[in-house]
Amino acid sequence: MSYTGPGFDPPQPRRSRRGPLTVALAALVPGALLGWAVYAAVGGSGDDEGPGSTAASASPSASASASSRTSSPAPSASSEDEKPGAPAAASGPLRGRVVVIDPGHNPENFKHTAEINRQVDIGTNRKECDTTGTSTDDGYAEADFTLDVAHRMRALLEKQGATVKLTQDGDRPFGPCVDERARIGNEAKADAVVSLHADGSGTGNRGFHVILPGAVDAGAADTRAIVGPSEDLGTRIAGNFVRVTGSAPSNYVGGGTGLVTRKDLGGLNLSTVPKVFIECGNMRDSKDAALLTSGAWRQKAAQGISDGIVSFLRGWGSAR
Ligand SMILES: [Zn+2]
């Protein structure tokens, strides 16, 4: 069930003699565009990455809701997944480019509450080291989702010649903390970093959103140089995510754009390289959960995000 195509295969209208094909295709395009508009924001915030869904409403005092995680994860992260020091593919358009993938949370975080509740400095304020993340109502953990998509993305990007590094690969007892997650991207001198998540919002709240760093200059945080390129990266990811998955932008944050800017996330505040988060869907909505738990859909998600990164690196990165 692996999705290997280069992009989105639109439904092929039956090719008949003349006009109908053109008409059908023409009808598809406004339909897709309409998707962006139809999903008008209805307010509310359920982002598991912390309080305040937007930079404007960020409130550092509230605590992230770590939702229940009762099932024990299957042992994962076979060592073959990890390729320490493996040389990047010698060819491909992304040869020499470094992509860091940050699989949000950690399947073992729930066993280490004291450690992950430790406060770390994120420049603007202090915040928990990490959180457990959310899960579907059936117990599929966000941390398992993020690792799975990360592995799929790594395969896709390595095929393009990129050097890919994960901030964690199910190979640590907990974390890393959000400040270390940022540091890993910085020290790798990554050309692009994407932090993978799925949201834990209310039923009926659907769709994906990409979180962009707002301009922050406080303490160890200075995002001013990465705001522009990160917006470019995030916009390309959002567009490709729509194209490949067919998912609509969030109907509860971002005003239907699929883009949200925030200044309260340590993983963004402390980054010195272009970086965005993506909330691929809402695990607490049954329709979104049906997508998030599907391997075929996760392959599309990985393809969409990877395509966005490739687009960014080929369009922007030539100057770097
Ligand atoms: Zn998350």
Side-chain angles (χ1 to χ4, degrees):
M1 224 168 296
S2 100
Y3 182 92
T4 53
F8 174 59
D9 298 321
Q12 294 297 324
R14 234 175 239 307
R15 196 176 273 276
S16 58
R17 307 147 280 268
R18 12 130 238 166
L21 174 62
T22 316
V23 172
L25 285 174
L28 281 175
V29 173
L33 292 174
L34 190 59
W36 288 77
V38 162
Y39 280 74
V42 294
S45 156
D47 197 286
D48 75 296
E49 298 336 313
S53 310
T54 66
S57 64
S59 140
S61 59
S63 66
S65 62
S67 43
S68 60
R69 192 203 139 79
T70 49
S71 60
S72 189
S76 60
S78 57
S79 54
E80 68 197 8
D81 284 336
E82 179 120 61
K83 301 172 187 168
S91 61
L94 298 191
R95 182 163 44 98
R97 314 312 294 274
V98 178
V99 177
V100 169
I101 304 171
D102 177 37
H105 316 283
N106 179 316
E108 304 295 306
N109 270 0
F110 75 104
K111 295 178 183 168
H112 299 273
T113 47
E115 290 93 335
I116 66 168
N117 285 335
R118 179 173 70 83
Q119 300 277 302
V120 298
D121 188 345
I122 67 163
T124 48
N125 58 291
R126 296 178 71 78
K127 206 164 175 181
E128 294 89 350
C129 151
D130 205 9
T131 53
T132 58
T134 187
S135 69
T136 66
D137 289 348
D138 290 337
Y140 179 55
E142 180 187 357
D144 293 329
F145 169 83
T146 63
L147 261 184
D148 180 86
V149 174
H151 292 158
R152 294 170 189 273
M153 284 177 59
R154 178 169 61 189
L156 291 167
L157 290 164
E158 284 182 345
K159 250 186 236 168
Q160 299 280 320
T163 299
V164 180
K165 184 177 175 62
L166 270 56
T167 58
Q168 57 95 3
D169 198 0
D171 52 353
R172 331 175 22 133
F174 64 90
C177 296
V178 293
D179 55 344
E180 185 181 350
R181 288 176 190 266
R183 193 157 58 242
I184 290 169
N186 297 345
E187 290 179 353
K189 296 185 166 50
D191 295 292
V193 186
V194 176
S195 187
L196 303 174
H197 293 267
D199 214 349
S201 187
T203 299
N205 287 344
R206 296 198 59 193
F208 78 93
H209 64 279
V210 175
I211 305 174
L212 313 173
V216 167
D217 178 19
D222 184 355
T223 60
R224 291 171 295 177
I226 67 159
V227 164
S230 299
E231 181 178 6
D232 185 18
L233 171 65
T235 303
R236 290 170 191 260
I237 288 175
N240 281 281
F241 197 85
V242 167
R243 180 178 58 81
V244 180
T245 66
S247 284
S250 169
N251 66 0
Y252 59 100
V253 287
T257 64
L259 300 172
V260 173
T261 300
R262 287 176 58 170
K263 300 180 177 178
D264 64 319
L265 297 175
L268 293 180
N269 285 3
L270 298 174
S271 184
T272 57
V273 292
K275 180 171 181 179
V276 300
F277 279 41
I278 182 167
E279 299 278 2
C280 295
N282 174 20
M283 298 200 105
R284 293 294 182 176
D285 176 85
S286 59
K287 292 197 179 88
D288 269 13
L291 300 175
L292 297 162
T293 54
S294 155
W297 189 86
R298 291 195 299 273
Q299 185 66 23
K300 290 184 185 180
Q303 182 81 52
I305 299 165
S306 298
D307 284 357
I309 293 169
V310 171
S311 165
F312 170 74
L313 292 179
R314 300 190 77 178
W316 169 275
S318 54
R320 284 169 60 90

